[in-house]
């Protein structure tokens, strides 16, 4: 199994541009998550999904959108990039919502200038 | 406000010594706790977890202790090795409340440096 894969690894955006961060998992997990990690900080939940077609906001959803059309894929969309969205983005998946290991992807480092 | 925090942002130990990383949490309703290890440039990696009905759980070279009375969590690493150098995060899982289905909150992390 490849686990959780993310693309791209790095991206530089200009203010106002849009992009989609891709995330795919091959473990047949129902639960998937998007986090952002700012320098020297912990992870903050942006959005999560409990299954195909079902998504919910996390702690910091403003400026982002998600969709979950399949079990495997959970893309994160930035519509109008802002410097405050400069961060490292991690996608994760898990078997359970109430507890249990979350498997993380390698991350996407995004810079908005 | 509610938070998951760490007592020490950095910890430096000698190879072979035992390491103890501490974490405080403030929500007494949290029922599940996890420790993650994050190496530079990589995503977090699960180390060990513990439920609130337990006080201690052991893994390979790692032990997690939970003290619910003082809302304190610790990760002990035995015979610390250079490969253990990383940032360690604790996270707490809060049961659903106020319409929220899920909330796993991460602390800021402790940087562990192992000196050879």
């Amino acid at each position: 199994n490849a686990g959780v894969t993310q693309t791209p690894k790095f991206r530089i955006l200009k203010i106002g541009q849009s992009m989609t961060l891709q995330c795919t998992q091959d473990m047949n997990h129902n639960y998937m998550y998007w986090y952002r990690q700012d320098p020297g900080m912990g992870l903050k939940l942006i959005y999560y999904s409990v299954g195909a077609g079902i998504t919910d906001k996390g702690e910091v959803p403003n400026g982002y959108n998600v969709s979950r059309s399949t079990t495997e894929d959970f893309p994160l969309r930035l519509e109008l990039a802002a410097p405050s969205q400069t961060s490292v983005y991690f996608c994760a998946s898990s078997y359970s919502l109430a507890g249990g290991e979350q498997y993380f992807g390698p991350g996407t480092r995004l810079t908005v200038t | 406000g509610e938070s998951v925090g760490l007592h020490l942002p950095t910890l430096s130990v000698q190879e072979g010594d035992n390491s103890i990383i501490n974490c405080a949490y403030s929500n007494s309703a949290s029922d599940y706790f996890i420790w993650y290890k994050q190496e530079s440039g990589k995503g977090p990696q699960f180390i060990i977890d513990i439920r609130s009905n337990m006080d201690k759980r052991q893994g390979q070279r790692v032990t997690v202790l939970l003290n619910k009375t003082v809302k304190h969590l610790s990760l002990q690493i035995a015979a610390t090795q250079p490969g253990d150098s990383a940032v360690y995060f604790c996270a707490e899982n809060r049961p659903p409340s106020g319409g929220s289905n899920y909330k796993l909150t991460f602390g800021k992390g402790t940087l562990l440096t192992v000196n050879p």
Side-chain angles (χ1 to χ4, degrees):
Chain A
N1 287 349
V4 179
T5 57
Q6 292 181 238
T7 57
K9 285 185 167 48
F10 304 94
R11 185 72 186 269
I12 298 174
L13 282 181
K14 293 190 186 302
I15 295 172
Q17 286 185 320
S18 61
M19 77 164 294
T20 299
L21 283 67
Q22 302 291 346
C23 175
T24 300
Q25 55 94 7
D26 62 359
M27 296 172 282
N28 203 33
H29 287 162
N30 281 328
Y31 305 98
M32 296 188 74
Y33 317 83
W34 274 106
Y35 293 92
R36 60 177 287 171
Q37 184 177 34
D38 298 326
M41 301 295 286
L43 297 158
K44 292 192 175 180
L45 183 66
I46 305 171
Y47 271 95
Y48 68 99
S49 170
V50 301
I54 306 170
T55 63
D56 204 351
K57 296 178 180 178
E59 185 181 357
V60 289
N62 291 344
Y64 307 95
N65 280 301
V66 294
S67 59
R68 184 94 182 272
S69 57
T70 66
T71 299
E72 295 78 17
D73 300 308
F74 190 39
L76 177 72
R77 179 82 178 163
L78 283 71
E79 291 293 350
L80 290 170
S84 61
Q85 293 178 304
T86 294
S87 190
V88 181
Y89 291 84
F90 289 101
C91 178
S93 72
S94 69
Y95 175 75
S96 170
L97 187 66
E101 179 177 358
Q102 288 189 13
Y103 295 80
F104 283 82
T108 294
R109 184 174 295 275
L110 175 67
T111 302
V112 182
T113 62
Chain B
E2 297 176 350
S3 66
V4 174
L6 293 162
H7 294 306
L8 296 172
T10 61
L11 178 64
S12 183
V13 301
Q14 291 298 123
E15 182 178 359
D17 287 351
N18 296 333
S19 302
I20 300 176
I21 301 171
N22 296 304
C23 179
Y25 66 96
S26 58
N27 190 330
S28 57
S30 293
D31 59 1
Y32 177 69
F33 305 88
I34 314 169
W35 280 100
Y36 282 91
K37 172 186 180 183
Q38 186 176 25
E39 296 174 272
S40 181
K42 296 184 179 179
Q45 181 181 11
F46 174 90
I47 302 173
I48 192 167
D49 59 0
I50 188 168
R51 294 202 174 271
S52 58
N53 60 353
M54 303 171 68
D55 298 322
K56 178 180 179 179
R57 190 161 189 224
Q58 288 184 293
Q60 186 177 9
R61 283 201 306 117
V62 295
T63 301
V64 56
L65 298 178
L66 177 61
N67 186 331
K68 294 180 286 292
T69 302
V70 296
K71 299 192 199 67
H72 185 269
L73 192 68
S74 69
L75 176 71
Q76 300 179 358
I77 305 174
T80 313
Q81 303 168 0
D84 295 325
S85 293
V87 176
Y88 290 81
F89 294 96
C90 67
E92 62 175 319
N93 192 46
R94 304 175 189 180
S97 65
S100 171
N101 192 28
Y102 163 84
K103 192 166 186 178
L104 184 69
T105 303
F106 287 78
K108 292 184 180 180
T110 292
L111 174 61
L112 174 66
T113 302
V114 181
N115 302 309

